[in-house]
Amino acid sequence: MADTKREIERKYEGPPAGGDAPLPDLTDVPGVSGVIDKGVAELDATYYDTADQRLATASLTLRRRTGGDDAGWHLKLPVSEGVRDEIRAPLSDTVPEDLTALVRSRIREAELVPVVRLLSARDIRHLVDASGTLLAEVSVDRVRAERLSGGAGSAEWTEIEVELADDGDPAFLDKVEKKLRKAGIKRSASASKLAKALDDTAPRKPENRGKAGKAGKADKVADVSKATTTAVKPEPPVSTPHTAGDHILTYVRDQRDAIVELDPAVRRDVPDSVHRMRVATRRLRSTFRSYGKILDRTVTDPIGVELKWLAAELGVDRDQEVLTEHLTAALDDLPSDLVTGPVQARLDTWSGARRSGSRQRLIAVLDGKRYLDLLTTLDTLVAGPPLQEAASKKPEKVIAKAVRKDFKKVADLVGEALELPPGSERDLAMHDARKKAKRTRYAAEAATPALGEPAADLVKSMKSLQTLLGDHQDSVMVRGSLRELATEAHEAGENAFTYGVLYGRAEQRAAAVEAALPGEWEAIEGQGAV
């Protein structure tokens, strides 16, 4: 079973072989009362990646390491600069399936192969405070790298690592760095040992020596091509957006990246990860629909169908989370004398049964061919977008027109909802208006870099409207769940009084939203679109 450790560390360049002592005296770093020599550990790590280094490109590292006190398989996922989550699994001869699943959105169907072996002699010191509590581990690593695929080079270097102790204050690393800088020690130019090893052991391009040189280079390119036939097509460099197409493609690329990057978090059940991934799929689908004059909908509509499917699968889990949160909060707000029977226990059982089933289903979806094919299709679209003639035009006209069109649709739907009497038809109309407000919000988000403040103001307006209408829809869903819970309680011989009280309160909240909607919409409509 894999476990997770948050790793906060900084890397520094060590002296060349035969240079001065790599570390200054660290006993006078503020807060440090002692430096304990923990000896030298011999580490042997083999790093795995695809033939075209998809993990390294995404700053992910997967290794099998022996030696030290944490031998086993380690997958490192970037969180922010200098911060990574290290997922660990016990030693085995093959890559653990738990870790393979966490990188599946990157590797798809490609095989993981050994790419680099690192042999390190790690000289370890612990920095401790007056009570002997560990503040940080400082190590001097003498490293030898051996290329295992894509070449046969080797390299050697020395580097210094400073890793913060668990639950330590990141500001302490600044104090250590200040001391190291005074000693002339600089931050490493490489993000990781693997990055440096891949760079230092990469095959060097041959010098151009006329026709013979060109032929040799062509042969090498052909060899690499044979080794990477499953590679995702490289994308063109991202430049400053100028045209309408540039701006929309930047937004599309960001949402594609978000889906891929959130995949491991969803698999690990990181809080809010399912919601964020679902939002990315909805943003992407909405963008395809709003900007059909820029991206050919004969190409994007089928992709939109798949995105809708993925959002629905993600929603099974998310909707249950939201419902449970609302029901729990409503029950907590209820005076104790209005709670009769085992209401909380029934709610916990009801929620747990549905979440367990939906969780298993979601993981199966992420492991399935349909989802992986969708990711590959998105890669293909970003690399070779189906641009329409309007994509080459200035964004101020094309993008603004699309946003205004979406805004008008919101206006029509809100108007229809306000004309209906309270009841199920109005509930449906308000839900449709909410979905259209969300789409308009996403269209305005994509437009903001091009249109500036007017688009940003529309994002805020649509978010406000979406929140109001969302509260109404939450009330509709909560009332449906309360009817279900009340039926189960009654059949079990329990008192269903409390469910009725909660239902009435939810009904009152819906009525309050309906009463507030005309004024809210009048203010938004007066502001107008972009």
Side-chain angles (χ1 to χ4, degrees), residues 93-213:
D93 293 335
T94 58
V95 182
E97 178 55 33
D98 286 353
L99 300 190
T100 301
L102 292 176
V103 297
R104 188 160 287 131
S105 66
R106 300 288 184 182
I107 66 173
R108 314 292 163 77
E109 301 299 328
E111 182 184 5
L112 289 168
V113 297
V115 291
V116 167
R117 183 185 184 191
L118 296 183
L119 302 171
S120 303
R122 170 164 288 183
D123 191 355
I124 305 169
R125 294 167 178 79
H126 283 181
L127 307 186
V128 298
D129 63 14
S131 67
T133 300
L134 179 66
L135 299 172
E137 180 177 285
V138 181
S139 62
V140 179
D141 293 345
R142 292 174 172 81
V143 186
R144 174 176 173 79
E146 300 173 356
R147 190 84 170 204
L148 301 178
S149 66
S154 63
E156 294 185 10
W157 71 89
T158 300
E159 70 177 38
I160 298 166
E161 281 189 10
V162 183
E163 182 176 347
L164 190 68
D166 293 346
D167 302 320
D169 182 0
F172 178 70
L173 295 182
D174 295 332
K175 299 175 183 178
V176 177
E177 180 161 314
K178 185 176 181 180
K179 180 68 175 179
L180 295 177
R181 285 187 177 276
K182 284 184 178 180
I185 297 173
K186 302 182 298 182
R187 284 273 196 109
S188 175
S190 299
S192 65
K193 285 185 176 68
L194 175 62
K196 182 172 178 59
L198 289 173
D199 184 57
D200 288 358
T201 65
R204 299 305 172 192
K205 294 181 180 180
E207 295 181 10
N208 189 346
R209 299 177 179 176
K211 293 182 179 179

Side-chain angles (χ1 to χ4, degrees), residues 13 22 285 461:
E13 294 181 1
R285 180 168 175 257
S461 296

Side-chain angles (χ1 to χ4, degrees), residues 468-483:
L468 184 68
L469 295 174
D471 289 343
H472 185 275
Q473 179 63 14
D474 288 342
S475 171
V476 173
M477 298 299 293
V478 163
R479 281 178 278 163
S481 297
L482 286 169
R483 282 194 295 269

